Amino acid sequence: MICQECNQRPAALHFTKIINGEKTEVNLCEKCAQEKGEMFMINGGSGFTFNNLLAGLLNIDPTVQKQNQNTFHQEEVLQCNKCSMTFPQFIKVGRFGCAHCYETFKEQLPPVLRRLHSGNWSHSGKIPKRIGGSIHLKKQVENLKNELKELIQQEEFEKAAKIRDEIRTLEKELPSSSKGGE
Amino acid sequence: MSLERFINQAVSSWMSEEGPDSDIVLSSRIRLARNFENFKFPTLFSHEEAQSIILKIEEILRESNFTKFGQMELLKIDDIQPLQKRVLVEKHLISPNLAEDSPYGAVLLTENEEVSIMINEEDHIRIQCLFPGLQLTEALEAANEVDDWLESHIHFGFDEKHGYLTSCPTNVGTGLRASVMMHLPGLMLTQQINRIIPAINQLGLVVRGIYGEGSEALGNIFQISNQITLGKSEEDICRDLKGVVSQLISQERSAREALRKTSNIQLEDRVFRSYGVLSNCRIIETKEAAKCLSDVRLGIDMGYIDHLPKNILNELMILTQPGFLQQYAGGHLRANERDIRRAALIRERLKMESDKR
């Protein structure tokens, strides 16, 4: 059987995922499995500790963690500047330190959240009234920016200029607080 | 204090009132987790931060008159006697975690105890609405109103992508846990429950006993709640849970009918034996009491017993918990003393109903 990701190497890891009653067969070669972060089950065989288990649950590939440990002194550990929580600490306790941690660790979070919330990683529920307005503006700006890119690719510069002006006026309306950090 | 007065004071609305489908669904609960944007979460916050959160809540209480659900009272965990704390936990008004491991904790309670707001537990704020019967939509509406009220005074931690930011990544997004407490003796007796629980788990829902995580299904009472809080809207989460609960209700009803057809006299015998135990026992443990109360409640629902009110299971399941018994007794009781007290309380409560006839 050939790996379903790269369609080149033979598949070495075969398993069935059941999430919310939905069955998916997965057949991956070792390399793709490592990239997808689904190797923790076979790598964790020796010296399986509670932290491995939690790290595994949070979908952190132990091979990647090991590499991080080896290069510990060269690489800076990700740390929240508001509450000083580090990413390894978060994995260990399973709790964030403050609301800002979500911003600090945002690159690392999608796989964690996907695993905990059956594949979901972005919010689609209630939005607080007081920030609702600026979020809608931001979404509008995002859409316009995408449109702008397309127009430029199609060399429709006149239309693009109009869109650019529209974006500028909208961005002026955005409160300064929500612009920061972006 | 007389038992009648004690019960009137001790019982919250979800224990005494009837709601939709309350022959099977005892209560519906909605919990919303919220946090201040600028304070560290309770796992890390300092004494000062905890203090200022409580001060801020007190200030909001003073300044805004939010009485939709009745007057609210703020109780600090430190000021509550250990026995009273236990009673609040047994009534599901606060979590064991708030009672024992939250030194800076507090709780806001409404008079009828349908709304409780835990402060400085795992998250800064946890809004909880507890309604009798199957009323998830109603409870969600109430929780949303409380949330809107607090939100007009507090900047909650929120971002577009992750939704409401919570201390534990398992609550992020909506911060919503919806749960329904169900009495399922029919599915237990016909042994269908063992087949059903794994199926429910596969749907992203969790099944637990009456006192939450790790507790066993005392008195055939099960709690079913959502696990996923991210990527679905609040309404969808409640609708999905309600869908499963409705199916369970119809399965439980058909199990009861099947039992009536195949083993009517055996079932009637079981119900009246349990009634006999409850009305005559002198010593009874929690587990046996729960089992007998479940049988008697089934007997009421199926018409074998007609002189007892339906809510007697909800009421006595809670009133015979260790905290309540000790509060009624007015002091600490050892386990064997509690078993004697429990028997006496149940006998007296059943006699109250027989005397009414």
Side-chain angles (χ1 to χ4, degrees):
Chain A
M1 194 179 279
I2 302 289
C3 167
Q4 64 183 53
E5 269 301 297
C6 60
N7 291 319
Q8 286 172 6
R9 291 173 288 266
L13 182 69
H14 313 271
F15 64 98
T16 313
K17 269 200 225 180
I18 306 176
I19 296 175
N20 278 358
E22 241 179 77
K23 257 192 190 177
T24 16
E25 299 273 346
V26 182
N27 301 292
L28 297 170
C29 68
E30 253 182 66
K31 192 151 184 270
C32 295
Q34 269 190 5
E35 274 164 19
K36 292 199 80 177
E38 308 206 287
M39 281 290 276
F40 69 90
M41 287 179 284
I42 39 178
N43 272 8
S46 58
F48 207 72
T49 67
F50 176 75
N51 287 346
N52 285 134
L53 198 67
L54 188 63
L57 186 75
L58 296 174
N59 203 0
I60 305 305
D61 187 342
T63 50
V64 173
Q65 269 202 321
K66 229 181 244 166
Q67 283 164 10
N68 278 350
Q69 276 162 14
N70 294 343
T71 52
F72 190 76
H73 295 287
Q74 297 142 32
E75 224 176 292
E76 216 174 298
V77 177
L78 207 52
Q79 187 171 37
C80 177
N81 61 16
K82 278 237 169 95
C83 67
S84 334
M85 174 77 82
T86 64
F87 195 67
Q89 253 179 320
F90 161 66
I91 293 299
K92 214 171 140 193
V93 291
R95 301 269 192 281
F96 292 105
C98 70
H100 190 67
C101 289
Y102 281 91
E103 177 64 26
T104 314
F105 305 135
K106 69 176 174 198
E107 304 294 326
Q108 283 68 29
L109 282 183
V112 173
L113 295 176
R114 264 194 216 119
R115 183 156 283 266
L116 291 172
H117 297 279
S118 0
N120 301 330
W121 56 282
S122 101
H123 179 58
S124 57
K126 190 172 177 179
I127 295 171
K129 282 195 186 99
R130 70 202 309 169
I131 56 171
S134 69
I135 284 189
H136 295 309
L137 268 182
K138 265 164 105 181
K139 282 239 165 91
Q140 220 177 325
V141 171
E142 252 170 56
N143 290 342
L144 285 175
K145 277 185 182 163
N146 288 336
E147 212 178 308
L148 182 68
K149 259 187 217 161
E150 263 176 46
L151 288 173
I152 291 175
Q153 270 177 358
Q154 292 161 8
E155 306 195 348
E156 302 241 24
F157 296 116
E158 247 174 77
K159 282 184 192 168
K162 264 190 200 163
I163 300 281
R164 184 203 55 204
D165 292 344
E166 243 181 275
I167 292 175
R168 281 196 187 150
T169 23
L170 280 180
E171 275 182 335
K172 267 180 210 152
E173 284 176 45
L174 277 175
S176 51
S177 63
S178 59
K179 254 193 283 179
E182 282 295 313
Chain B
M1 196 184 341
S2 82
L3 181 64
E4 202 165 349
R5 255 194 71 211
F6 176 72
I7 290 172
N8 287 340
Q9 287 183 3
V11 167
S12 1
S13 104
W14 72 270
M15 288 153 65
S16 59
E17 278 166 36
E18 279 183 29
D21 294 308
S22 60
D23 55 330
I24 291 167
V25 178
L26 306 183
S27 67
S28 304
R29 176 162 45 158
I30 294 288
R31 185 216 69 197
L32 294 174
R34 298 289 185 260
N35 284 285
F36 284 73
E37 190 174 33
N38 292 322
F39 290 116
K40 279 180 243 153
F41 291 151
T43 33
L44 285 184
F45 68 4
S46 63
H47 180 68
E48 285 72 30
E49 280 178 304
Q51 245 13 70
S52 33
I53 286 169
I54 292 187
L55 282 176
K56 176 74 191 166
I57 299 285
E58 281 177 329
E59 188 190 308
I60 296 172
L61 260 189
R62 265 199 315 274
E63 283 177 6
S64 70
N65 212 10
F66 183 76
T67 49
K68 168 114 208 249
F69 302 98
Q71 275 305 327
M72 286 202 223
E73 196 190 348
L74 184 96
L75 300 168
K76 287 182 196 162
I77 286 301
D78 273 351
D79 300 341
I80 310 177
Q81 299 299 314
L83 260 184
Q84 270 181 311
K85 271 195 243 177
R86 197 159 174 176
V87 166
L88 290 175
V89 173
E90 287 170 0
K91 284 166 93 170
H92 298 272
L93 293 173
I94 64 173
S95 64
N97 188 10
L98 186 80
E100 275 141 42
D101 300 318
S102 311
Y104 312 123
V107 61
L108 267 177
L109 279 182
T110 59
E111 273 163 317
N112 67 0
E113 302 181 341
E114 276 182 358
V115 178
S116 69
I117 304 171
M118 288 194 277
I119 296 157
N120 293 341
E121 203 235 28
E122 187 185 294
D123 293 296
H124 294 142
I125 292 175
R126 286 194 163 187
I127 302 163
Q128 180 183 274
C129 294
L130 189 54
F131 281 42
L134 184 55
Q135 300 193 72
L136 280 174
T137 323
E138 291 79 358
L140 178 64
E141 263 170 41
N144 269 330
E145 280 182 58
V146 177
D147 181 41
D148 292 342
W149 166 58
L150 289 173
E151 186 201 292
S152 61
H153 298 273
I154 303 167
H155 261 290
F156 285 143
F158 178 91
D159 78 42
E160 224 173 310
K161 199 159 90 195
H162 302 116
Y164 289 96
L165 307 176
T166 54
S167 165
C168 182
T170 53
N171 294 318
V172 74
T174 55
L176 170 74
R177 188 120 303 150
S179 70
V180 171
M181 216 186 319
M182 305 182 80
H183 182 225
L184 303 172
L187 295 178
M188 280 294 273
L189 282 170
T190 53
Q191 295 180 346
Q192 293 179 67
I193 200 81
N194 301 329
R195 191 167 52 74
I196 290 170
I197 289 181
I200 295 176
N201 288 337
Q202 284 198 356
L203 293 168
L205 300 174
V206 196
V207 185
R208 301 189 178 109
I210 179 169
Y211 283 107
E213 253 165 282
S215 69
E216 61 180 317
L218 225 64
N220 300 325
I221 296 175
F222 296 85
Q223 260 190 84
I224 299 154
S225 55
N226 66 305
Q227 177 118 42
I228 296 157
T229 58
L230 188 64
K232 279 200 212 175
S233 72
E234 288 81 357
E235 288 74 20
D236 284 351
I237 292 172
C238 288
R239 207 194 45 224
D240 291 354
L241 176 62
K242 203 174 164 184
V244 171
V245 168
S246 306
Q247 281 201 338
L248 278 173
I249 291 175
S250 63
Q251 296 221 18
E252 169 67 21
R253 291 217 172 104
S254 47
R256 289 182 187 185
E257 277 323 298
L259 281 169
R260 194 200 293 280
K261 278 196 191 112
T262 56
S263 35
N264 190 23
I265 188 72
Q266 286 87 345
L267 194 59
E268 192 175 354
D269 177 67
R270 184 186 169 104
V271 166
F272 280 98
R273 273 173 190 273
S274 288
Y275 181 63
V277 168
L278 291 178
S279 34
N280 294 297
C281 62
R282 296 297 189 266
I283 299 173
I284 194 163
E285 283 179 21
T286 316
K287 218 170 166 176
E288 191 187 358
K291 180 207 158 275
C292 292
L293 283 169
S294 166
D295 287 343
V296 167
R297 171 68 201 253
L298 180 66
I300 299 169
D301 289 336
M302 295 187 64
Y304 297 121
I305 295 179
D306 57 9
H307 73 284
L308 293 177
K310 285 182 177 221
N311 61 31
I312 201 141
L313 168 76
N314 318 13
E315 189 189 288
L316 284 179
M317 273 297 283
I318 306 294
L319 292 183
T320 56
Q321 295 294 323
F324 263 109
L325 285 175
Q326 297 181 68
Q327 203 190 34
Y328 184 42
H332 178 77
L333 295 173
R334 284 195 304 268
N336 57 345
E337 293 171 329
R338 289 204 295 265
D339 293 345
I340 297 169
R341 283 274 177 168
R342 182 176 297 116
L345 190 149
I346 293 174
R347 279 198 332 265
E348 200 182 332
R349 179 71 184 85
L350 292 177
K351 193 168 167 291
M352 253 164 66
E353 292 301 327
S354 309
D355 290 349
K356 276 189 200 160
R357 270 207 290 191

